[in-house]
Every structure is written in structure tokens, then in C-alpha cells.
């Protein structure tokens, strides 16, 4: 057995802090500790589970001040450029900005193969910015839960704007919508068929639609795209809580190119706060989150229980050999 | 109480058949009964649950002869046109073709707003074809399970080719891949950035990539697209079981425009059968299916148990009022 002092040195060397040490570091806004806490949260080791739960529980309760913004759009539309510029604008106004990313687009390689580390270079150099790339090797459901947990850590570390980027246009958008206050769709100025590439469902989810790259020779095309999307919004969306989705032009290269989108985001947030819709929406999200957490935990309890894996193995064999249908086999496993 | 005769008349009027009646109708290839059986399977009524399970169990075991083909591609790429032409080609060769569709693209309106009923008109008129549009109002997970069950009904009804169309490019592709023998990606001939719109994950999943509309003035562009995708495939895919994904040109308007893709599909199927890879893959899919069914059933058991809904309601209130974190609340519900 190691002496106590050596144990602590060993722990620090392996970057294993105690709950208290994590909390002090996070609350002090220490990016290194925050990063290590996120790595811990992303861990799937059973031995880390209890510490992760305590850490999240302790970091819970700093969300009231934060604005959570989901940002989506097809690959190539300029999400990173937009986030880089908008993040810097927020920082100039005195905010602290955390950028998270969800990319479940690649089920086989588990993570984006495009995930180069040089993205958002100048934003990353800002003291008040924290950028965390996608966690690799986690399922979509897992990514969603981990992203929510990471968001809570970032809020506890004093980041008052959480920008969650989702790469591409797919199922992950519903997930991101379920954990953000505002869902922003970025659109590229394009030809008459510009609506084609974007799923209707995404347009329905968006609170703001921003036609990016609206500068230089693309300005006219961008204006056309705005008109089209305004029509689409009018046609597609339910005005269930009184906010009509705005379609705006933006440019990350013009000096004032982000002003319109910044104002629109502020207008939306003010509306959401004053109408108490933000409160309602976050309550709905908390409920959703409770159900998700419960669901995962229930299944986990079975998977970890003694003898279950053997019984499932047997059921699998019966199914593969054609003795049981998968439905009958699942029924048998219900009685485990 | 109604006399027995009136009861039967009432049942038939309400299109409620007995298990035996469903089975006789399905095995006879009666499209009306098959349609009604599918409507039953799609029902979420608790009172239908036991009949649905018995029906699926009884229809199980006709899958050996069938070929299951998943077809995906961006909106507008011509999936319906392709399926219409390819379905007719298969029917001319003496096959029976069922076409199913998965479209979870619109989370709010639950189903495709583009789902017009005039699609695949000429295929729909074929005696040997059966076309079933997307079930509405079901979650992605639900759609996946229902689609698998509908596939089994169609196989029992004698359809030896099941074409499953997924609308758009997203999470549903992984689901469709998990229930098909072959996954076909349709690509539109486009500009140099044609790879942009397609998620890498989809390219990784594809067994065949077909550049559609390769005719007339698009032929040259289509050839360029083929070269690009051949490179992408080379770069992206793991040759884990010896099949190298082919990229082929097709046209739904030229007389022999589908020949290449038909031959490639046959070549793939032969390879899969001879290498026993088909057997392995279907075994893996059965396992996946067993786990999915079990998972849903376990959660259902809790949701249906007495007092659970009240306890969950209380947990929700505690979370919304900020007394419990969602994580703590989920823990409490674990002990229910």
C-alpha cells in the first residue's frame, strides 16, 4: 500500500481530482480543470459514475443567467465561421462563451472525420471563450446526455452563452432543440432550389433563420433566399406561442454583418423572457431530461444485474438459430 | 349483448378480423387484408397489442427468400422515380415488390408534408406491387420497429423484394441499414462540391452508390460525380468483409438505364450469399432487433405499472420547481 502522500501525487499525475477540487477549479473558471471535468463526464467507466453524478449535481443551478443557443445548417454553410465571429462579438460585449459541438453523422467511425482542430482559431485564443469538440465514440442518445451535462459544467464555470453546433441536418437537431433556448438555422444563399437540401423538419424547429455569406456578389442571391424562406416559414410553422420565426441576412466578413442576427437573437430572448415562454420551455426540457435519464438508468440496472448477460446470450442464440422469433425472445427476457 | 352473428358483422364492418382471417388473407396475397393488417400493426391501442404479437409471430419465417433493399438519398435526387422504374423491372422478371417508406424528417408535423399520394403511380397499378406510405405520428424508434414488422407481413404475403425508402439523409439511415441486406445511396449528378450535401456517415453505410439521372446533358457531370464518389468510397470505407462499394451510373428514362444498377445489386447479393456474409449480417440484425424489442418492453412495463404515472408526475414537479435536479429525480424514480 502506498503512503497517503504518494497516493495524492499519483492521483494528480493521473489528473484525478476529488469532487471538491473539480468544483473549486470549475467555479474559478479554470479551463484546464473544466476540460478535465468534461473528460471525466464523457468517461464511460463504471468506477467514474458516482463521481460524475455528484459533480453534475453540485454544478446544477447556475443555468438561470445563461443563454443556450443551438446552431445548425448543412455542411459547408459556414457554421464555424459564424460561431467564430458571433462568439467574438459576444465577448466584446462582456460575455463568456462556450462552444460545444454534436456530430453523430458518422456511425461507423464515430465522430466527424472533418473534425480538424484548427477550426475557430481566433475565438479559441480568447480568454473568455471555451471550445470543446465533439466527444467521440458515443451514441446519439449518449451524446445528447453528455452534451447537457457538459453544458451544466460550462454554466457553473461562468459561461453565460452556450453555443451548441450541430453538424449537418438530421435527427440530432431535435436533440439540440430539446436543450436550447433558441434554435438558429444557417442557410447558404443558393439557387431557386435552396429549400431542397434542408429538411422541412429543421425549418419547423428553427426560431431564427439566418442567410449567411450575404455580402459581395452573393448579396442578391441571399435576398432571394430570404424571401423563399420567409414563405416557407409562413407555410410551415405553427405560431403556437406568438413568436414568428424571422429570416435575416448576415455576413461574417462585413464590419456590421452580424448586427441583424445579434439584434434578432436579443429580441427573441426578450420576448421569451417577458412572455414567460422561456420558463415554460425550460420546464418542458427538464421533464424530458428526467425521463431520458430515468430510461437509461432503468435499462442499465437490468444490463448490470447478475446472470442477465448470460440469459441474453442464450436468447440471442435461440433467435439466430431460428428457434425463437426476436419478439418471443424479448418476451422471455422480460421475465428475467 | 349482441347475438353472435351480429357480432361478426359488426367486426367485419369495423374491419377487425381474427388472427386466422388475417393469416389466410395475408398468405393468399390479398392486398386489402395486408393493408388492414399493417394498419393493425401500426395501431398503438393497448387492446390490439396481443393480436399484433400473435400475428407477427405467425408471419415470421418467410424471410429466407426475400431481398431487403434500403434506398436513400437527398430530397429531390429522384428516389421515387428510381423505385418506380426498378420495381417495374423486378416485376417484369417475375418478382413481387413491396415498397415501404420511412420519413421521420418532420418531428413536429409527424410525417412528410410532401407525402402526396400520386407518387409511383404506374408501379402502384402493378398487381405484383404493394406500396405503403409512411406511418404518421410515430417516433423514429417506433417507425423502425413498425417497419420491421410490416416487412415481415409483406414477406409472408409473398413479396420477395422489399424496398425501403428513407426520405432524406439523417439518423433514419442507420435504422434502415439495420434491417436491410443492401443499402443503396442515390446521388444526383452535381457540381464539384457534390459530396458536401451527403453526410460522410451515409457514404460509409452504402453498399452501392448510384449516380441517378445519368442521361442527356447531365451524363458528363454524372461521370464526374462517379469519380468523386469512387475516391470518397476508397477513402472512407472499411473493407471489412471483402465487398468494395461500387459507384454506378443509372437513368430512369433510358431503355437500359437501370441495367448497371440491377447487375450490381445481383452481384452484391450473390457475393453476400456465397460468402455467408448475408447469414452473419441477418443474425446480427436479429440480435439488434431482440435488444430493441426488449428495451421497449421493459420501459413499457414500468410505464404501465400502477402508481408509476403519479410518482413520475411528482418527480416532474420537484424538478420543475428546482427542488430536485433531473438526475436526482431519475434516481428517485429508479427506486419506484
Amino acid at each position: 500500500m502506498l503512503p497517503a502522500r504518494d497516493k495524492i501525487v499519483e492521483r494528480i499525475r493521473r489528473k484525478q481530482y476529488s469532487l471538491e477540487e473539480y468544483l473549486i477549479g470549475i467555479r474559478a473558471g479554470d479551463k484546464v480543470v473544466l476540460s478535465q471535468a468534461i473528460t471525466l463526464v464523457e468517461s464511460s467507466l463504471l468506477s467514474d459514475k458516482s463521481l460524475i453524478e455528484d459533480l453534475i449535481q453540485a454544478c446544477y443551478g447556475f443555468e438561470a443567467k445563461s443563454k443556450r443557443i443551438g446552431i445548425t445548417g448543412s455542411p459547408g454553410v459556414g457554421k464555424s465561421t459564424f460561431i467564430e465571429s458571433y462568439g467574438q462579438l459576444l465577448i466584446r460585449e462582456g460575455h463568456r462563451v462556450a462552444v460545444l459541438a454534436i456530430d453523430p453523422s458518422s456511425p461507423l467511425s464515430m465522430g466527424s472525420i472533418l473534425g480538424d482542430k484548427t477550426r475557430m482559431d481566433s475565438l479559441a485564443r480568447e480568454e473568455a471563450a471555451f471550445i470543446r469538440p465533439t466527444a467521440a465514440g458515443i451514441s446519439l442518445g449518449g451524446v445528447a446526455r453528455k452534451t447537457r451535462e457538459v453544458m451544466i459544467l460550462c454554466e457553473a464555470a461562468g459561461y453565460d452563452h452556450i453555443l451548441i453546433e450541430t453538424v449537418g441536418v438530421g435527427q440530432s437537431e431535435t436533440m439540440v432543440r430539446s436543450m436550447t433556448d433558441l434554435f438558429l438555422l444557417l442557410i447558404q444563399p443558393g439557387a431557386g432550389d435552396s429549400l431542397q437540401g434542408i429538411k422541412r423538419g429543421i425549418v419547423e424547429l428553427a426560431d431564427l433563420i439566418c442567410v449567411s455569406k450575404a455580402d459581395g456578389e452573393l448579396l442578391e442571391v441571399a435576398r432571394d433566399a430570404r424571401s423563399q424562406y420567409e414563405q416557407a416559414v409562413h407555410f410551415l410553422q405553427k405560431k403556437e406561442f406568438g413568436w414568428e420565426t424571422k429570416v435575416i441576412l448576415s455576413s461574417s466578413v462585413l464590419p456590421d454583418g452580424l448586427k441583424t442576427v445579434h439584434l434578432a437573437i436579443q429580441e427573441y430572448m426578450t420576448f421569451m423572457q417577458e412572455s414567460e415562454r422561456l420558463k415554460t420551455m425550460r420546464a418542458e426540457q427538464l421533464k424530458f431530461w428526467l425521463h431520458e435519464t430515468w430510461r437509461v438508468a432503468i435499462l442499465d440496472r437490468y444490463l448490470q444485474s447478475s446472470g442477465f448477460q448470460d440469459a441474453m446470450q442464450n436468447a440471442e442464440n435461440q433467435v439466430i438459430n431460428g428457434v425463437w422469433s426476436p419478439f418471443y425472445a424479448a418476451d422471455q427476457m422480460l421475465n428475467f
Side-chain angles (χ1 to χ4, degrees), chain A:
Chain A
M1 211 175 125
L2 291 169
R5 195 180 148 278
D6 287 3
K7 262 196 175 170
I8 294 172
V9 171
E10 169 71 11
R11 209 158 45 73
I12 290 174
R13 194 176 290 152
R14 293 179 57 198
K15 293 179 186 160
Q16 294 173 326
Y17 304 126
S18 69
L19 176 60
E20 257 191 318
E21 287 163 337
Y22 274 123
L23 277 178
I24 291 169
I26 290 172
R27 291 295 295 138
D30 187 298
K31 287 188 195 180
V32 176
V33 178
L34 177 59
S35 287
Q36 284 164 355
I38 292 175
T39 304
L40 174 76
V41 161
E42 287 169 354
S43 154
S44 51
L45 290 178
L46 206 60
S47 52
D48 291 333
K49 200 163 171 262
S50 150
L51 179 57
I52 293 173
E53 281 177 8
D54 291 345
L55 181 61
I56 299 296
Q57 180 70 43
C59 286
Y60 199 74
F62 296 97
E63 73 280 6
K65 280 185 229 156
S66 87
K67 292 185 173 50
R68 302 163 172 174
I69 301 176
I71 295 161
T72 194
S74 300
V77 75
K79 286 189 292 296
S80 299
T81 314
F82 173 83
I83 291 173
E84 172 138 281
S85 309
Y86 185 57
Q88 286 176 304
L89 184 156
L90 290 171
I91 288 170
R92 281 197 302 275
E93 294 201 343
H95 295 293
R96 290 169 59 80
V97 179
V99 180
L100 313 175
I102 292 189
D103 178 13
S105 66
S106 178
L108 291 187
S109 66
M110 292 296 176
S112 170
I113 59 160
L114 292 176
D116 57 293
K117 283 165 190 173
T118 56
R119 288 175 16 165
M120 304 188 205
D121 248 1
S122 16
L123 184 59
R125 276 193 297 270
E126 298 275 357
E127 193 280 327
F130 179 78
I131 299 177
R132 181 76 181 191
T134 313
I138 309 180
S139 70
L140 179 59
V143 166
R145 190 202 160 137
K146 295 300 182 193
T147 304
R148 289 191 199 103
E149 292 177 341
V150 170
M151 185 165 76
I152 285 174
L153 295 185
C154 291
E155 287 169 347
Y159 294 96
D160 60 1
H161 277 72
I162 315 290
L163 308 183
I164 305 183
E165 176 188 359
T166 98
V167 178
V169 166
Q171 188 69 3
S172 55
E173 276 67 23
T174 318
M175 287 286 187
V176 173
R177 187 70 197 86
S178 78
M179 60 177 94
T180 51
D181 305 323
L182 186 160
F183 196 59
L184 175 68
L185 170 62
L186 288 186
I187 296 293
Q188 209 162 9
D193 63 339
S194 61
L195 252 175
Q196 277 219 340
I198 302 292
K199 299 267 198 98
R200 265 87 186 142
I202 308 292
V203 176
E204 288 176 41
L205 289 175
D207 304 304
L208 284 178
I209 298 175
C210 176
V211 184
S212 65
K213 300 180 184 172
D215 45 55
E217 40 183 52
L218 282 176
L219 186 57
E220 266 316 299
V221 201
R223 284 188 181 135
D224 286 351
R226 179 176 56 186
S227 307
Q228 281 174 37
Y229 274 88
E230 275 168 351
Q231 284 182 356
V233 162
H234 185 73
F235 175 59
L236 283 170
Q237 289 194 338
K238 295 154 190 155
K239 317 278 170 307
E240 45 185 35
F241 60 92
W243 172 260
E244 182 151 358
T245 297
K246 286 200 158 42
V247 187
I248 44 193
L249 300 180
S250 85
S251 162
S252 295
V253 296
L254 295 183
D256 267 352
L258 288 179
K259 208 172 173 182
T260 43
V261 62
H262 186 42
L263 286 173
I265 288 175
Q266 286 179 321
E267 188 191 350
Y268 170 86
M269 288 296 185
T270 306
F271 168 83
M272 291 297 278
Q273 265 151 357
E274 288 179 354
S275 65
E276 298 231 308
R277 171 70 196 160
L278 188 64
K279 205 176 139 191
T280 322
M281 193 166 72
R282 285 206 174 176
E284 282 162 14
Q285 292 179 351
L286 283 169
K287 270 162 62 176
F288 174 80
W289 198 337
L290 155 63
H291 285 267
E292 278 290 296
T293 313
W294 168 78
R295 217 169 48 82
V296 171
I298 282 286
L299 295 173
D300 240 41
R301 185 158 71 181
Y302 282 88
L303 295 173
Q304 311 291 346
S305 68
S306 141
F308 181 86
Q309 298 291 354
D310 288 344
M312 187 54 103
Q313 178 77 56
N314 176 53
E316 286 176 2
N317 290 338
Q318 302 285 10
V319 166
I320 291 167
N321 296 327
V323 184
W324 291 351
S325 81
F327 309 101
Y328 180 81
D331 252 7
Q332 295 298 305
M333 288 305 296
L334 265 190
N335 303 325
F336 178 79

